[in-house]
PDB file of all heavy atoms in Angstrom:
ATOM      1  N   THR B  10      -8.297   2.157 -15.898  1.00 97.00           N
ATOM      2  CA  THR B  10      -7.918   0.979 -16.674  1.00 97.00           C
ATOM      3  C   THR B  10      -7.110   1.423 -17.881  1.00 97.00           C
ATOM      4  O   THR B  10      -7.342   2.515 -18.427  1.00 97.00           O
ATOM      5  CB  THR B  10      -9.138   0.160 -17.150  1.00 97.00           C
ATOM      6  OG1 THR B  10      -9.948   1.004 -17.976  1.00 97.00           O
ATOM      7  CG2 THR B  10      -9.955  -0.354 -15.999  1.00 97.00           C
ATOM      8  N   GLY B  16       4.928  -4.377 -26.004  1.00 97.00           N
ATOM      9  CA  GLY B  16       6.020  -3.659 -26.641  1.00 97.00           C
ATOM     10  C   GLY B  16       5.847  -2.150 -26.641  1.00 97.00           C
ATOM     11  O   GLY B  16       6.823  -1.405 -26.772  1.00 97.00           O
ATOM     12  N   SER B  96       3.147  16.063   6.878  1.00 69.00           N
ATOM     13  CA  SER B  96       2.469  16.292   8.158  1.00 69.00           C
ATOM     14  C   SER B  96       2.186  15.018   8.915  1.00 69.00           C
ATOM     15  O   SER B  96       1.868  15.035  10.095  1.00 69.00           O
ATOM     16  CB  SER B  96       1.146  17.024   7.906  1.00 69.00           C
ATOM     17  OG  SER B  96       0.319  16.243   7.057  1.00 69.00           O
ATOM     18  N   ILE B 102      -0.785   7.518   1.731  1.00 90.00           N
ATOM     19  CA  ILE B 102      -2.084   7.649   1.086  1.00 90.00           C
ATOM     20  C   ILE B 102      -1.966   7.087  -0.330  1.00 90.00           C
ATOM     21  O   ILE B 102      -1.101   7.513  -1.096  1.00 90.00           O
ATOM     22  CB  ILE B 102      -2.514   9.134   1.003  1.00 90.00           C
ATOM     23  CG1 ILE B 102      -2.388   9.813   2.369  1.00 90.00           C
ATOM     24  CG2 ILE B 102      -3.928   9.235   0.461  1.00 90.00           C
ATOM     25  CD1 ILE B 102      -3.251   9.229   3.443  1.00 90.00           C
ATOM     26  N   SER B 110      -3.487  -3.812 -18.616  1.00 98.00           N
ATOM     27  CA  SER B 110      -3.545  -5.068 -19.368  1.00 98.00           C
ATOM     28  C   SER B 110      -2.642  -4.949 -20.585  1.00 98.00           C
ATOM     29  O   SER B 110      -2.702  -3.935 -21.297  1.00 98.00           O
ATOM     30  CB  SER B 110      -4.982  -5.363 -19.829  1.00 98.00           C
ATOM     31  OG  SER B 110      -5.855  -5.448 -18.733  1.00 98.00           O
TER      32      SER B 110
END
Side-chain angles (χ1 to χ4, degrees):
Chain B
T10 60
S96 60
I102 310 298
S110 301

